[in-house]
Amino acid sequence: MECLVSMDHITKEFSGVPALRDISFEIQAGEIHALLGENGAGKSTLMKILSGAYTPTSGSIAINGDTYNHLTTKQSADAGISIIYQELSLVPQLSILENIFVGRLLTTKVFGVSVLDYPAMRARSRELLEMVGLNRSPNTVVRALSISEKQLVEIAKSLAFGARVIVMDEPTSSLVEEEVDRLFTIVGRLRDNGTAVVFISHKLNEVMALADRVTILKDGAAVGTLPIGECTIDLLVQLMVGRELKSKYLSNHADMRGSAEPVLEVSNLTRSDGKVRDISFTLYAGEILGVSGLVGAGRTELMAAIYGAAPKRSGVITLKGRTLKIRRPYDAIKVGIAMVTEDRKGTGFFHNFSVSQNIAIGQDVKSSFWGGLGGLINPRNQQHRAQEQVLDLSIKCRDIHQRIIELSGGNQQKVLLGRQLTAGCEVIIFDEPTKGIDVGTKSAIYTLMRDLADAGVGVLVVSSELPEIMAISDRIMVFSEGRIATVMPVVEATEEKLVRAAALGSAWDKGTQQSEEQP
């Protein structure tokens, strides 16, 4: 098999701190090569060196027979390397055609003058869209596309200029099952046509189903490369984290109704836009209430309404018997309701703030007054609180003054968790808390949730992963089309029940009751 890329003895240091240590990594034509490791293991750094975004401290890169000490972004692109990042790089306001050819527009000569060749770009766009299975006009504006369609545009963009190696960073993190299947079909077709795909994912079942080979990184070093036939999920986890994961959170399910006080009560809540309607439920102190359902069923929309991030038409929210008036997130934070959002980069943290500032701001807001216009900030206390959370949550950062945007996704998530812990909340909402993070960090977050519940905090968790929601919840509330389809203790739940309830809505609950009543 032809070797397209050989990265030999790559080392990368930032301010003298090693991020990669003597890594060798090969990519062969016509293979799907999974790159695994915990957040901060060095996966993104290695790929940024391949893309030309970073310069290695030492080592060499051989591509198509040419050897480089370092690459520029142009050299990498010209050599057929394309990277599709988890945060897609498309321009929403431009059309599909314009996104495919941005920066490399096709031109033709008219009376000796170069002009844009729109007919050629339109024809090539149609050809590429057909190749990736996207039934859209090249003139469609990208903001009108779904996440999965945008990913297909990214793939088409890669193929437009002859990419031989396509790196996909967490490509399925925002996709539903049908979209994942569609993406896998396209990836398999790329492999069959001789394109190499580097597949970065924390979903090990997907890796097992898709990859030909697997390379594992840990703490900036390569643990090894294995053919997929020699791998099991348990082996991959051990190689990634260097230990077996302890499942403390799996053994403590309890139905808190009747044995604990209600901490949060929601009655007849309806959003102004109608995306959730007539929602009533109770969250008990010390309980983890999982929220399941299809994407778009209203789970996140409900959490936004409770947190004050979306307006409510009607309904009552009560915290420990006290009726609340929550019109904005500030109001929620002040009374002790916190939320870790699904889109951590868009709505979770302040990009230009340090780790210390991002952790401390929750407590600073809670202690403020006059709607946030008044209050004192104590830098020494900020730093002390931040240092405690960095140690307690094992946040990997250079120091607490490092900008949060420079951290890996999993460590950014830990910073957001640290913010809520310092604020002393009664209720914490987690919306897709393990999206795009590694198995080791997932385990730490699950354990943290259980510790919070054991301390009497009410925990709400939205997750699209059924094994996750069943592993961590005490009860599960299933959403369908903006309403609650059913609520069940986790000991009664199965994946089949959850899927059927999400698909059938209230009809599922009625059908279940009727079937149970029949002899």
Side-chain angles (χ1 to χ4, degrees):
M1 192 175 287
E2 179 186 5
C3 181
L4 299 180
V5 175
S6 178
M7 305 180 75
D8 297 315
H9 303 290
I10 299 293
T11 294
K12 175 63 178 175
E13 296 179 353
F14 293 98
S15 303
V17 179
L20 298 176
R21 295 175 290 150
D22 195 36
I23 289 182
S24 294
F25 180 66
E26 286 190 352
I27 306 169
Q28 297 176 349
E31 76 162 345
I32 299 172
H33 195 141
L35 184 60
L36 302 182
E38 292 187 273
N39 289 107
K43 306 183 298 297
S44 295
T45 301
L46 185 65
M47 291 300 99
K48 285 180 178 178
I49 287 173
L50 181 59
S51 73
Y54 286 169
T55 297
T57 304
S58 62
S60 63
I61 306 167
I63 304 178
N64 303 326
D66 297 322
T67 302
Y68 306 84
N69 290 326
H70 66 88
L71 291 165
T72 65
T73 53
K74 185 177 187 305
Q75 285 173 327
S76 178
D78 290 346
I81 310 297
S82 178
I83 299 186
I84 301 174
Y85 293 102
Q86 186 175 355
E87 284 78 30
L88 303 178
S89 59
L90 301 175
V91 183
Q93 295 81 7
L94 299 183
S95 68
I96 293 174
L97 180 153
E98 291 165 327
N99 270 280
I100 288 176
F101 290 99
V102 66
R104 292 189 278 190
L105 297 168
L106 302 183
T107 60
T108 187
K109 295 284 187 179
V110 176
F111 301 116
V113 179
S114 291
V115 296
L116 294 179
D117 192 348
Y118 271 100
M121 288 190 287
R122 195 169 291 111
R124 179 61 173 151
S125 295
R126 288 195 184 100
E127 180 184 327
L128 291 165
L129 294 179
E130 184 178 353
M131 192 181 302
V132 300
L134 179 55
N135 185 25
R136 287 279 196 169
S137 165
N139 297 322
T140 304
V141 177
V142 161
R143 65 169 170 257
L145 304 179
S146 68
I147 291 291
S148 63
E149 289 175 324
K150 290 175 183 177
Q151 286 186 329
L152 295 180
V153 173
E154 287 273 23
I155 296 172
K157 183 178 175 181
S158 300
L159 297 176
F161 297 95
R164 301 196 66 195
V165 176
I166 300 178
V167 180
M168 296 184 177
D169 188 2
E170 295 291 344
T172 66
S173 62
S174 299
L175 304 186
V176 297
E177 187 174 347
E178 295 80 4
E179 294 171 333
V180 171
D181 292 341
R182 182 184 184 188
L183 178 65
F184 282 10
T185 299
I186 301 300
V187 171
R189 194 180 302 161
L190 292 171
R191 171 177 56 189
D192 295 342
N193 291 335
T195 303
V197 176
V198 178
F199 189 77
I200 301 174
S201 177
H202 296 303
K203 298 181 179 180
L204 299 185
N205 57 328
E206 294 180 355
V207 171
M208 294 295 295
L210 192 66
D212 299 304
R213 289 195 297 160
V214 180
T215 293
I216 302 100
L217 304 185
K218 177 174 170 54
D219 297 330
V223 176
T225 298
L226 298 170
I228 198 66
E230 296 180 9
C231 299
T232 64
I233 288 180
D234 287 343
L235 175 62
L236 294 177
V237 169
Q238 278 192 289
L239 293 173
M240 286 169 61
V241 303
R243 64 190 187 280
E244 288 188 34
L245 295 180
K246 302 299 182 184
S247 298
K248 171 184 175 181
Y249 50 89
L250 290 173
S251 59
N252 195 26
H253 297 304
D255 190 341
M256 307 303 292
R257 293 173 296 177
S259 62
E261 293 294 322
V263 61
L264 180 73
E265 296 175 271
V266 175
S267 302
N268 306 115
L269 188 150
T270 296
R271 274 182 42 148
S272 296
D273 57 12
K275 290 185 176 179
V276 291
R277 303 178 301 281
D278 196 30
I279 301 298
S280 298
F281 70 90
T282 300
L283 173 69
Y284 294 89
E287 176 183 46
I288 299 178
L289 178 59
V291 186
S292 183
L294 302 175
V295 172
R299 304 166 305 164
T300 294
E301 289 78 4
L302 172 63
M303 301 307 142
I306 293 172
Y307 191 58
K312 297 174 280 294
R313 181 187 304 160
S314 60
V316 177
I317 300 174
T318 303
L319 182 70
K320 290 192 170 180
R322 181 162 61 100
T323 300
L324 306 177
K325 292 183 179 180
I326 299 176
R327 297 184 179 89
R328 51 186 175 154
Y330 177 84
D331 299 329
I333 294 168
K334 289 291 288 182
V335 298
I337 298 176
M339 182 169 176
V340 180
T341 69
E342 177 184 15
D343 182 7
R344 57 176 170 263
K345 287 195 173 180
T347 58
F349 58 75
F350 298 91
H351 291 221
N352 58 330
F353 278 21
S354 67
V355 170
S356 173
Q357 291 168 317
N358 268 286
I359 288 175
I361 195 168
Q363 179 59 37
D364 291 340
V365 168
K366 194 172 181 182
S367 61
S368 68
F369 50 87
W370 294 340
L373 295 175
L376 297 175
I377 294 175
N378 187 323
R380 182 175 294 178
N381 286 345
Q382 273 191 347
Q383 293 173 21
H384 177 70
R385 294 197 299 268
Q387 195 63 56
E388 279 186 340
Q389 296 305 319
V390 166
L391 293 174
D392 290 347
L393 298 176
S394 300
I395 299 171
K396 293 181 181 178
C397 58
R398 187 169 58 247
D399 54 51
I400 61 172
H401 305 294
Q402 184 178 5
R403 288 198 312 152
I404 189 172
I405 197 65
E406 298 173 359
L407 305 187
S408 68
N411 286 297
Q412 290 170 349
Q413 191 77 327
K414 287 182 178 180
V415 170
L416 297 186
L417 296 176
R419 177 193 300 169
Q420 315 309 344
L421 296 178
T422 61
C425 302
E426 304 279 359
V427 172
I428 298 186
I429 301 168
F430 294 90
D431 192 358
E432 301 286 2
T434 63
K435 176 180 169 183
I437 63 176
D438 62 81
V439 291
T441 304
K442 282 185 180 184
S443 177
I445 289 175
Y446 297 158
T447 302
L448 174 62
M449 289 178 185
R450 181 52 63 190
D451 289 343
L452 287 168
D454 289 345
V457 175
V459 179
L460 276 167
V461 184
V462 175
S463 177
S464 298
E465 297 186 28
L466 295 183
E468 174 173 270
I469 209 77
M470 293 178 65
I472 61 179
S473 304
D474 298 311
R475 289 187 299 145
I476 301 175
M477 181 166 63
V478 184
F479 258 70
S480 179
E481 298 180 345
R483 298 181 184 273
I484 297 174
T486 189
V487 182
M488 65 182 79
V490 72
V491 292
E492 298 176 7
T494 64
E495 289 193 27
E496 181 185 1
K497 282 184 179 180
L498 297 180
V499 170
R500 284 174 59 83
L504 299 177
S506 59
W508 176 86
D509 215 12
K510 293 176 183 176
T512 301
Q513 291 171 4
Q514 289 172 359
S515 64
E516 289 175 351
E517 289 170 1
Q518 292 175 355

